[in-house]
Amino acid sequence: MNTADLKQEITSLIEGANDMASLEEVRVTALGKKGKITGMMKNLGQMDPEQRKTAGQELNILKTEIASLIESQAKMLKKQALDERLATEKLDMTLTPRPEMQGKVHPISQTMEELVTIFGEMGFSLQEGPDIEDDYHNFSALNFPVGHPAREMHDTFYLPDDPSETGEAAKKVLRTHTSSVQIRSMANAKPPVKMICMGRTYRSDYDITHTPMFHQCEGLMIDKETHMGHLKGCLMDFVRRFFEIDDLPTQFRPSFFPFTEPSAEMDIGCSRKDGGLKIGAGDSWLEVLGCGMVHPNVIKNFGLDPDEYQGFAFGMGIERLAMLKYGIPDLRTFFEGDTRWLDHYGFDAMARPNRAY
Ligand code: PHE
């Protein structure tokens, strides 16, 4: 057999090999110890030197050609096998998204936002004061003289005296109401003043409607001709906006606070049916806040002349407002830090308090 025929034969065997095992068989048939080319090489010895030279060269070339053909066929087969695997063994790399943890805005924060929005639109500025107060700002300046029974009603948390201060300033308490901010805000303010203050307040009490820490919102307006009509109008507008009920009935009942005279408590209309409570026109009333005309003694403590200046003040519990507006039955749950509670009663971070104007 001549080398051209042999090349032809082996080449077609190589091309016909469609997997690595049959290609290996072809390799053994051609180049193995007992293979065809090897066999022909063995025959070279019987040839005369001239013939041997040319035949030897041809066989060497053939050997190299066949080896490289086998190599490229092997490459092709490997690629084919890989392509097949890639086509069949599909791996789904997409992962079902895990439910993302979503934070919620606490009803207290939400309600504070609403209060700032409503009073802000009425022109009240927002003030702050310290949680740790002294006896003067929490009581005396607000017309609670030492020994006054109204002090007892506050279930005050008293702190150890502050040795760096003297007198009333040394007597520290956790503020029992945000009214303590009134004197601080008035110290460097020039009337007319319209301010609100919000924050934590503390009283030693704990049941379904009392927690040792709770939040209040205080309001104060001081000017030369401020009267009870302004107080009523402002608060009526406020509750109607806050509860989003345009014809929400209100009533003012006489009350007592040492720092206001006259003092009142404000109620909003509601109805109670089948154990449920509905805010709005109805046959019943709910107390929502305390208020009054600032007592002349307090105006004096502001550093103003009570014959020239007067004003009104109001204070309300933020939790109470939130409980009524959002139907939250137990005050204590506000502070238990239960994420299921927050998930239920909380607000979307992107939700904004509605704006009427
Ligand atoms: N500080 C009062 C309280 O805590 C509320 C109040 C504030 C009443 C301002 C009248 C005026 O009960």
Side-chain angles (χ1 to χ4, degrees), residues 228 235 250-257 262-268 286-292 315:
M228 196 81 184
L235 293 175
T250 54
Q251 73 174 10
F252 290 79
R253 277 178 295 104
S255 184
F256 174 81
F257 301 103
S263 302
E265 265 160 9
M266 184 191 194
D267 297 338
I268 55 172
L286 261 176
E287 184 200 319
V288 284
L289 56 84
C291 57

Side-chain angles (χ1 to χ4, degrees), residues 263-310:
S263 302
E265 265 160 9
M266 184 191 194
D267 297 338
I268 55 172
C270 68
S271 53
R272 299 166 207 265
K273 264 188 215 111
D274 313 317
L277 174 72
K278 192 169 176 293
I279 293 172
D283 50 10
S284 195
W285 297 99
L286 261 176
E287 184 200 319
V288 284
L289 56 84
C291 57
M293 298 308 294
V294 181
H295 195 288
N297 288 350
V298 179
I299 300 270
K300 270 187 219 153
N301 292 333
F302 289 163
L304 299 173
D305 177 357
D307 289 331
E308 198 181 348
Y309 289 101
Q310 49 202 310

Side-chain angles (χ1 to χ4, degrees), residues 154 176-177 179 182 203 216 218 257 259-260 290-292 313-315:
H154 276 215
T176 59
H177 53 177
S179 301
Q182 287 191 19
R203 292 185 198 182
Q216 279 193 345
E218 187 85 6
F257 301 103
F259 39 94
T260 47
C291 57
F314 54 87

Side-chain angles (χ1 to χ4, degrees), residues 33-322:
K33 270 185 196 154
K34 290 177 184 159
K36 291 193 171 154
I37 297 176
T38 324
M40 283 176 82
M41 288 204 150
K42 278 179 189 158
N43 290 340
L44 289 176
Q46 292 151 22
M47 295 179 186
D48 63 62
E50 255 327 285
Q51 257 187 322
R52 190 193 300 159
K53 198 181 165 197
T54 34
Q57 275 172 353
E58 276 178 22
L59 279 176
N60 268 330
I61 292 169
L62 178 64
K63 208 176 144 181
T64 327
E65 281 175 348
I66 293 302
S68 86
L69 277 176
I70 290 176
E71 202 179 307
S72 50
Q73 180 73 0
K75 259 191 201 158
M76 197 275 287
L77 287 175
K78 278 184 191 155
K79 184 179 177 306
Q80 213 174 44
L82 183 64
D83 286 347
E84 249 167 57
R85 274 185 61 193
L86 288 176
T88 50
E89 291 177 20
K90 271 203 186 128
L91 193 61
D92 186 358
M93 304 286 280
T94 56
L95 194 64
T96 328
R98 269 174 267 175
E100 223 170 278
M101 285 296 283
Q102 179 129 56
K104 288 274 185 96
V105 174
H106 195 282
I108 291 295
S109 311
Q110 170 75 16
T111 306
M112 283 178 156
E113 278 287 316
E114 294 173 7
L115 295 172
V116 170
T117 303
I118 299 171
F119 286 115
E121 284 167 0
M122 291 183 182
F124 286 80
S125 69
L126 183 63
Q127 304 288 325
E128 283 186 318
D131 287 22
I132 296 178
E133 258 303 357
D134 55 43
D135 192 88
Y136 176 72
H137 289 92
N138 197 79
F139 292 124
S140 304
L142 293 167
N143 203 33
F144 289 78
V146 176
H148 193 290
R151 286 191 173 215
E152 307 304 313
M153 290 163 60
H154 276 215
D155 302 308
T156 312
F157 285 112
Y158 292 95
L159 299 175
D161 285 7
D162 180 350
S164 69
E165 310 243 34
T166 52
E168 286 176 314
K171 302 240 166 290
K172 298 293 184 192
V173 297
L174 290 179
R175 69 177 174 199
T176 59
H177 53 177
T178 42
S179 301
S180 56
V181 185
Q182 287 191 19
I183 306 286
R184 295 187 178 275
S185 305
M186 288 308 293
N188 27 26
K190 281 232 169 312
V193 169
K194 277 169 103 176
M195 70 92 170
I196 57 164
C197 148
M198 279 185 277
R200 294 186 172 136
T201 46
Y202 307 83
R203 292 185 198 182
S204 180
D205 208 351
Y206 186 72
D207 61 37
I208 194 168
T209 53
H210 297 89
T211 48
M213 187 281 296
F214 58 105
H215 297 76
Q216 279 193 345
C217 173
E218 187 85 6
L220 178 70
M221 161 148 197
I222 302 293
D223 202 356
K224 286 187 173 161
E225 278 165 23
T226 311
H227 54 70
M228 196 81 184
H230 294 129
L231 164 68
K232 289 178 78 174
C234 171
L235 293 175
M236 282 159 73
D237 277 354
F238 161 68
V239 290
R240 287 175 183 164
R241 276 266 342 253
F242 179 78
F243 290 103
E244 295 166 29
I245 302 172
D246 288 344
D247 60 351
L248 181 60
T250 54
Q251 73 174 10
F252 290 79
R253 277 178 295 104
S255 184
F256 174 81
F257 301 103
F259 39 94
T260 47
E261 183 59 37
S263 302
E265 265 160 9
M266 184 191 194
D267 297 338
I268 55 172
C270 68
S271 53
R272 299 166 207 265
K273 264 188 215 111
D274 313 317
L277 174 72
K278 192 169 176 293
I279 293 172
D283 50 10
S284 195
W285 297 99
L286 261 176
E287 184 200 319
V288 284
L289 56 84
C291 57
M293 298 308 294
V294 181
H295 195 288
N297 288 350
V298 179
I299 300 270
K300 270 187 219 153
N301 292 333
F302 289 163
L304 299 173
D305 177 357
D307 289 331
E308 198 181 348
Y309 289 101
Q310 49 202 310
F312 64 79
F314 54 87
M316 54 192 114
I318 297 178
E319 285 81 357
R320 182 169 172 78
L321 291 175

